[in-house]
Amino acid sequence: PPPREVLPWNRFGDASRELAQVVVDSGWMPDLVIAVARGGLIPAGAIAYALGVKAMGTMNVEFYTDVEETLPEPQVLPPMLDTSVLAGAKVLVVDDVADSGRTLEVVMRLLRTGTTPGAGPHTVTPAPEHLPAEARSAVLYTKPQSVIEPDYTWRSTDRWIAFPWSSLPPVTATANTEA
Ligand code: 5GP
């Protein structure tokens, strides 16, 4: 099998602090951190703490239906955050990885223009008056084929990444659990 990039929990702790440091050193500070669920939830929480930013929201995007199977376009799905909190704000969008980069591309376009390509029946979009003043993106990893260059990235790799939160299967009931 091709070599994988393994990110253990302890190294994730350093990675999120270092990525927050890159944001701070750029001289820009968000008012609000938005996690792209689910992969961006844990990085976004860690980075928001490291930045000292309390305001957080999430956006749900579905793209992959299987390991190598994708929808035609990434879909922004409910529940959508209360988009009035975006109005005029500086927003940092956080995800785990920009691989094809199409998920992040759709989220950034939605925040910058209020529109999304290939909108499906469940797609949600913010009203024009709720668009942020500025949206930037931060990811732990960027892959070379990504269609967008995130504003902030921790590392680049062309390998499959094993993140600590998704490298083990879901827990199951232990044998002696009472029904
Ligand atoms: P993209 O739209 O940039 O192709 O990737 C969308 C999502 O697919 C990422 O946010 C991530 O959750 C998942 N993904 C893409 N590449 C990898 C990878 O190398 N490892 C893992 N664990 N997930 C990945």
Side-chain angles (χ1 to χ4, degrees), residues 18-19 45 77 94 104 124 130 136 177:
E18 288 172 21
L19 185 51
L77 296 173
V94 178
L104 205 53
V124 283
H130 288 169
R136 297 191 185 187
T177 302

Side-chain angles (χ1 to χ4, degrees), residues 36 38-40 63-64 70 74 95-104 143 146 157 159-163 165-166:
V36 183
R38 281 184 302 169
F63 187 30
Y64 290 85
T70 66
D95 208 350
D96 50 358
V97 49
D99 186 320
S100 71
R102 293 186 59 203
T103 298
L104 205 53
K143 298 201 182 176
S146 175
T157 185
R159 297 178 177 187
W160 181 260
I161 307 148
F163 291 106
W165 47 86
S166 55

Side-chain angles (χ1 to χ4, degrees), residues 12-148:
F12 162 68
D14 296 332
S16 52
R17 293 286 302 184
E18 288 172 21
L19 185 51
Q21 189 71 60
V22 175
V23 175
V24 170
D25 288 348
S26 77
W28 186 83
M29 183 60 79
D31 304 305
L32 176 72
V33 173
I34 294 186
V36 183
R38 281 184 302 169
L41 283 169
I42 295 170
I47 287 162
Y49 269 106
L51 292 173
V53 172
K54 291 181 178 175
M56 287 196 71
T58 65
M59 280 180 47
N60 297 308
V61 182
E62 188 171 326
F63 187 30
Y64 290 85
T65 55
D66 209 334
V67 181
E68 298 236 300
E69 273 270 303
T70 66
L71 300 167
E73 297 283 352
Q75 299 288 317
V76 180
L77 296 173
M80 181 65 158
L81 76 169
D82 175 357
T83 57
S84 66
V85 302
L86 300 172
K90 288 185 288 178
V91 172
L92 182 67
V93 174
V94 178
D95 208 350
D96 50 358
V97 49
D99 186 320
S100 71
R102 293 186 59 203
T103 298
L104 205 53
E105 182 187 43
V106 161
V107 172
M108 300 314 286
R109 180 185 319 183
L110 185 64
L111 291 174
R112 288 168 180 160
T113 71
T115 65
T116 181
H122 306 293
T123 304
V124 283
T125 56
E129 66 272 24
H130 288 169
L131 291 182
E134 190 181 5
R136 297 191 185 187
S137 58
V139 296
L140 293 171
Y141 291 96
T142 301
K143 298 201 182 176
Q145 67 270 18
S146 175
V147 294
I148 80 161

